[in-house]
Amino acid sequence: MTRSPSLTTALDALSENLSEGPSGFSAFVPPLQSLIGPCYVAVSLLEPETKLRRIYSSKEDSYPVGSVKSMVGTGWETALVFEGRHLFSPDANALHFAFQDALAILDLGFGCAINLRIAWGGVLLGSVNLLAKPDAFDAQSFQHAKAFVAPLTLMTLRYIERNGAGF
């Protein structure tokens, strides 16, 4: 799915937003969505026993900040923790593989996901999780989303430094 703005345009907009002192992760949402389309965006930190604690949510009514969910035994854990890679779940079957709560995700109208691995010095800090309607993401969307990993990693490190979370 080709979107009209270029990757450079989206990253330039992000850079401008960050230099103006945005309130946290919300600065990432517009440039990311301009490139890959409408989606839900969450940032979560990894806790012991492969649990994720949500620290940012673009849809707090359905996915509140502070929620914790176990990722043990999921495709998410396999990809991000054990294999050290990002995860693209293009359809309902892939969502069932990736998440224990796939039915709840599907019930909210989502049908595909991108999970970006956020790591520093070889240590997995957490992930950025993108959910969208069925068939909204394709391989190009996945490639474009991965371009945001470096700035999102820096923002996550800034969050950890300010809030004493992680490590």
Side-chain angles (χ1 to χ4, degrees):
M1 309 206 162
T2 304
R3 306 282 185 231
S4 54
S6 71
L7 177 59
T8 302
T9 301
L11 292 174
D12 284 348
L14 174 60
S15 176
E16 288 173 22
N17 287 338
L18 289 175
S19 66
E20 292 174 10
S23 61
F25 293 98
S26 60
F28 287 90
V29 176
L32 183 62
Q33 289 180 338
S34 75
L35 198 60
I36 67 171
C39 61
Y40 159 71
V41 181
V43 180
S44 299
L45 292 181
L46 185 65
E47 294 188 343
E49 300 175 19
T50 315
K51 292 181 181 174
L52 285 180
R53 178 174 304 277
R54 194 171 301 115
I55 61 171
Y56 173 79
S57 174
S58 66
K59 190 176 174 99
E60 283 204 64
D61 55 332
S62 299
Y63 291 97
V65 169
S67 321
V68 178
K69 78 177 184 178
S70 174
M71 300 307 286
V72 172
T74 64
W76 183 98
E77 180 187 45
T78 299
L80 279 76
V81 175
F82 299 130
E83 297 174 357
R85 64 180 175 86
H86 308 295
L87 180 62
F88 175 38
S89 303
D91 56 33
N93 288 335
L95 287 174
H96 282 287
F97 170 76
F99 303 103
Q100 292 171 346
D101 61 345
L103 288 177
I105 292 169
L106 294 166
D107 284 347
L108 288 169
F110 298 120
C112 57
I114 295 173
N115 301 104
L116 302 173
R117 188 176 192 277
I118 302 298
W120 186 257
V123 175
L124 180 62
L125 303 175
S127 66
V128 175
N129 310 300
L130 312 172
L131 296 171
K133 65 181 177 149
D135 302 317
F137 294 149
D138 59 13
Q140 184 179 20
S141 305
F142 185 44
Q143 290 303 314
H144 286 321
K146 288 191 289 186
F148 286 79
V149 170
L152 283 163
T153 299
L154 294 174
M155 184 63 82
T156 302
L157 288 167
R158 179 185 296 171
Y159 176 92
I160 290 169
E161 178 183 54
R162 289 182 179 167
N163 296 284
F167 297 116

